Amino acid sequence: MERLYDLAEVFRSKNAGPLFITIDFLFSNKETYQRVSSSEALSPGAVAELYGLEPEDVKIVYFDAANAIKVTIPRTGPTSGAPGDRDVYGAQQHGPLLSLMIP
């Protein structure tokens, strides 16, 4: 088993509008991408548990041609740029997935 962080060439989060965060994983080769995308470790339920969400709030999209996976979750707390928002760009929201283990 390896951490998702160690498998992804690019691992980032950003705003997907004021109400959502998107987390991108890009892989350097098709084999690694297929290993992660076929694993049950990265599932709506697993992501929801890490972020304190409901599984139906987590959307996962697979881009086979780009060896990429996009996870979209609702922002918790204030909307982007609202008073009290601690990460206006959504750039620090991928942290809970750093240690996700992939078989």
Side-chain angles (χ1 to χ4, degrees):
M1 293 188 49
E2 292 178 80
R3 295 181 312 164
L4 181 56
Y5 177 77
D6 295 324
L7 295 171
E9 185 76 18
V10 175
F11 197 128
R12 65 181 175 213
S13 63
K14 58 188 174 185
N15 282 338
L19 303 176
F20 295 93
I21 298 286
T22 189
I23 305 162
D24 300 324
F25 312 99
L26 286 78
F27 302 93
S28 61
N29 58 63
K30 183 148 294 293
E31 295 77 24
T32 305
Y33 165 73
Q34 289 175 335
R35 174 181 169 188
V36 175
S37 62
S38 66
S39 167
E40 290 297 317
L42 182 64
S43 67
V47 174
E49 186 174 326
L50 289 169
Y51 285 89
L53 302 168
E54 295 298 322
E56 57 270 11
D57 292 334
V58 177
K59 306 298 182 229
I60 301 177
V61 179
Y62 301 93
F63 295 99
D64 295 341
N67 296 330
I69 301 171
K70 180 179 289 289
V71 175
T72 302
I73 59 174
R75 287 181 71 100
T76 56
T79 60
S80 177
D85 180 17
R86 296 176 294 154
D87 185 6
V88 71
Y89 298 112
Q92 302 300 316
Q93 303 305 310
H94 55 285
L97 287 166
L98 292 173
S99 297
L100 185 69
M101 298 302 287
I102 304 296

